[in-house]
Amino acid sequence: MPAAAPPAPADRGDSLFVVEKGETLALIAERLAESDYIRSPTLLRIVARLRRTEGDFKVGWYRIPSGASTLRVHDLLVKGSQSLVKLTIPE
């Protein structure tokens, strides 16, 4: 299940984006654009094709900096620079 939509870009600092197992590059790019992380899903797909990384996007939770370029977002998701979330379970 994809993550909930983040707040509007003007209100958003760094925020989390989830890449789910089995998601295609096209779907990831569309969700990034719909959530205002990138302007053009087509540009992300072109960058991935030129860099030959279409199948290299890693599953996980990512902290995407506010105002990050499409290239920066691409690099985050391909390198797998995931955000760790601390979880405490009471006994």
Side-chain angles (χ1 to χ4, degrees):
M1 179 165 88
D11 301 329
R12 182 177 74 200
D14 294 359
S15 54
L16 294 176
F17 181 81
V18 180
V19 175
E20 301 284 346
K21 183 176 180 179
E23 282 187 312
T24 63
L25 172 57
L27 179 58
I28 293 167
E30 287 297 325
R31 289 197 313 106
L32 285 165
E34 288 170 2
S35 299
D36 293 322
Y37 288 108
I38 62 173
R39 290 189 191 137
S40 170
T42 303
L43 178 58
L44 181 63
R45 291 192 309 267
I46 289 169
V47 168
R49 179 171 291 197
L50 290 173
R51 292 185 174 183
R52 298 182 178 169
T53 57
E54 293 116 319
D56 295 343
F57 287 70
K58 309 284 192 265
V59 171
W61 292 72
Y62 295 90
R63 184 170 305 281
I64 300 179
S66 179
S69 68
T70 299
L71 293 175
R72 175 79 174 121
V73 171
H74 168 274
D75 292 346
L76 282 170
L77 301 182
V78 168
K79 289 179 182 174
S81 301
Q82 297 182 30
S83 183
L84 298 178
V85 178
K86 183 177 181 179
L87 177 65
T88 304
I89 301 173
E91 295 186 40

